[in-house]
Amino acid sequence: MSQSLLLLSSSRVDDTPYLAHALPMLEKMIQPGSRWLFIPYAGVTISYDDYTNQVAEALGSLGGQVIGAHQTPDPVAALDEVDGVLVGGGNTFHLLHELYRLKLMDAIRDKVNNGMPYVGWSAGSNVAGLTIRTTNDMPIIQPPSFDALGLVPFQINPHFSDYLAPGHNGESRSMRLQEFTCVDPLAPVVGICEGAAIRRQGNALVLTGDKPGYLFEGTTQKEEIAPGSDISFLL
Amino acid sequence: MSQSLLLLSSSRVDDTPYLAHALPMLEKMIQPGSRWLFIPYAGVTISYDDYTNQVAEALGSLGGQVIGAHQTPDPVAALDEVDGVLVGGGNTFHLLHELYRLKLMDAIRDKVNNGMPYVGWSAGSNVAGLTIRTTNDMPIIQPPSFDALGLVPFQINPHFSDYLAPGHNGESRSMRLQEFTCVDPLAPVVGICEGAAIRRQGNALVLTGDKPGYLFEGTTQKEEIAPGSDISFLL
């Protein structure tokens, strides 16, 4: 097993173009002429065709080919014909629901654990963790289980931010993640800010990008992880 | 059946004291000397005792008695000994998980559909709707089902606000609820702002408090409901 994963917090940082900030990280993974299966099922208000086109355009300069899973007769079989998997953001519950329905959970996990590169952003990063219990998304549809792909042995919280709207009485992100650590003190959570990503190459794990991350685990709350840190201890 | 429900968006408005803004609405339901079973299971980082005390203090001026469900030997049996049910906010998934585990779902539904008054806020309002698929909370624990009490035949979204942090690329609340209406166009959603509440008395339904609400249903998106509106058409 030599997993190659790039788990991005978000598709955008500030008002930069779609996936633009990720291109320097992606060019190490996406070779010219390589074929990538794009999983569009986190998209709910965008058509899968439009979503696939948007990703293909954003990554065009890298010279890889992007194939929408929904455009193939059998997405599981299509995994045998590609060099890597891209899993886009949107609604995590919808994504996981469809991955189970289409029998893609075991298929993707097996491929990635045998070396197929995996790139996810937002919901696509959430489902790479142990479970989706630290997603920020609304549970608009009930998947058969919250168990996710488990490509890394911890929880991911993308779009990490502790910003609270002035006068609003909902919970901050850190309060939500603290609740998670109370319910499941043994599962570490890595919160990744927009602009940051987790890069796994075999047994090496690094927080990449120019933004920090935050670790929550048991009584450890919001422990900062500096950009570029080796976090292989989490594997 | 003559249901009496008060479903509050939140326990606080701006920086007012806990439940203070709700006292004028609550005094119509909580009679001096009446006994109320408080359901504390949405609380995760607060002890159930502390939570119960906080609610008892906040409602002290009304003269009702607040009994924590966790302090009774059998919460289902305790429903026979009280005049009403209070369901507090916190994490909706944890609340629903515990309501199922303790066999309180059918018990509460039966009592309320036979006239027992129900007061909920935040997560306690969410579980009064059809399902918890429009909660804002993190899915920190997996309940057996997303199906909720169904005391009203629609979805509730408490703490409604479309505020987005500057520069943040997550979804706005309206975008999240639009995703829900795409997945389930037949289920209406009422978003209630902090300060607003839904009051059901039998077949009459009113948006109460001094803040507006918003209706999402199918292609209807964020249709404003003025404070004080009769919304009985939703029943």
Side-chain angles (χ1 to χ4, degrees), chain A residues 88-225:
Chain A
N91 183 283
T92 305
F93 291 88
H94 198 265
L95 170 59
L96 192 63
H97 182 275
E98 293 300 284
L99 289 177
Y100 274 109
R101 188 175 68 79
L102 296 164
K103 317 263 186 258
L104 279 165
M105 293 294 288
D106 290 341
I108 292 175
R109 187 187 295 114
D110 288 350
K111 286 289 182 190
V112 175
N113 283 341
N114 283 292
M116 178 175 281
Y118 179 105
V119 174
W121 54 95
S122 193
S125 294
N126 256 314
V127 298
L130 283 176
T131 77
I132 64 161
R133 288 179 297 150
T134 50
T135 176
N136 310 308
D137 294 342
M138 191 169 272
I140 58 173
I141 192 167
Q142 184 179 336
S145 167
F146 287 1
D147 290 344
L149 292 166
L151 306 179
V152 289
F154 51 86
Q155 295 284 132
I156 292 169
N157 179 251
H159 299 280
F160 184 87
S161 162
D162 253 342
Y163 189 89
L164 259 191
H168 190 69
N169 287 294
E171 293 87 353
S172 72
R173 188 72 57 82
S174 289
M175 288 162 68
R176 294 175 188 276
L177 293 176
Q178 187 188 6
E179 288 183 352
F180 175 81
T181 61
C182 285
V183 168
D184 191 347
L186 299 179
V189 187
V190 180
I192 39 178
C193 297
E194 294 185 350
I198 291 168
R199 178 83 171 101
R200 177 175 188 174
Q201 189 69 50
N203 291 320
L205 197 71
V206 173
L207 180 72
T208 184
D210 57 1
K211 297 284 172 58
Y214 296 95
L215 177 66
F216 297 76
E217 181 180 9
T219 55
T220 299
Q221 298 294 321
K222 205 180 174 182
E223 188 174 281
E224 186 168 329
I225 305 168

Side-chain angles (χ1 to χ4, degrees), chain B residues 2-232:
Chain B
S2 180
Q3 299 90 342
S4 176
L5 312 176
L6 180 66
L7 308 176
L8 297 149
S9 174
S10 60
S11 57
R12 282 195 171 90
V13 179
D14 302 323
D15 55 356
T16 56
Y18 196 70
L19 289 174
H21 80 284
L23 289 175
M25 308 183 214
L26 288 167
E27 70 182 0
K28 294 172 191 150
M29 298 182 74
I30 301 183
Q31 310 302 322
S34 61
R35 292 162 54 87
W36 289 73
L37 192 70
F38 173 61
I39 309 291
Y41 308 123
V44 176
T45 54
I46 185 174
S47 79
Y48 294 157
D49 277 348
D50 286 350
Y51 197 179
T52 305
N53 289 339
Q54 182 181 20
V55 172
E57 268 179 42
L59 304 184
S61 64
L62 302 177
Q65 186 185 346
V66 175
I67 302 145
H70 66 292
Q71 294 161 335
T72 71
D74 178 352
V76 171
L79 282 169
D80 289 329
E81 312 294 325
V82 294
D83 301 298
V85 188
L86 301 165
V87 186
N91 184 282
T92 305
F93 291 89
H94 198 264
L95 171 59
L96 192 64
H97 183 274
E98 292 301 283
L99 289 177
Y100 274 109
R101 189 176 66 81
L102 296 163
K103 316 269 186 248
L104 278 164
M105 293 295 287
D106 291 341
I108 292 175
R109 187 186 296 114
D110 288 349
K111 285 289 184 189
V112 176
N113 283 340
N114 283 290
M116 178 174 280
Y118 179 105
V119 175
W121 55 96
S122 193
S125 294
N126 255 315
V127 297
L130 283 176
T131 77
I132 64 162
R133 287 179 297 151
T134 50
T135 176
N136 309 309
D137 295 342
M138 192 170 270
I140 58 173
I141 191 167
Q142 185 179 337
S145 167
F146 287 0
D147 290 343
L149 293 166
L151 307 178
V152 290
F154 51 86
Q155 295 285 133
I156 293 169
N157 179 253
H159 300 278
F160 183 87
S161 162
D162 253 341
Y163 190 89
L164 259 190
H168 190 68
N169 287 294
E171 294 87 352
S172 70
R173 187 72 56 81
S174 288
M175 288 161 67
R176 293 175 190 276
L177 293 176
Q178 186 188 6
E179 288 183 351
F180 176 81
T181 61
C182 284
V183 169
D184 191 347
L186 299 179
V189 187
V190 179
I192 41 178
C193 298
E194 295 187 349
I198 291 168
R199 177 83 171 99
R200 177 175 188 174
Q201 189 70 49
N203 291 321
L205 196 71
V206 172
L207 181 73
T208 186
D210 56 2
K211 296 285 172 57
Y214 296 95
L215 177 66
F216 297 76
E217 181 180 8
T219 55
T220 298
Q221 297 295 322
K222 206 181 174 185
E223 188 175 282
E224 187 170 329
I225 305 168
S229 292
D230 184 320
I231 49 173
S232 307

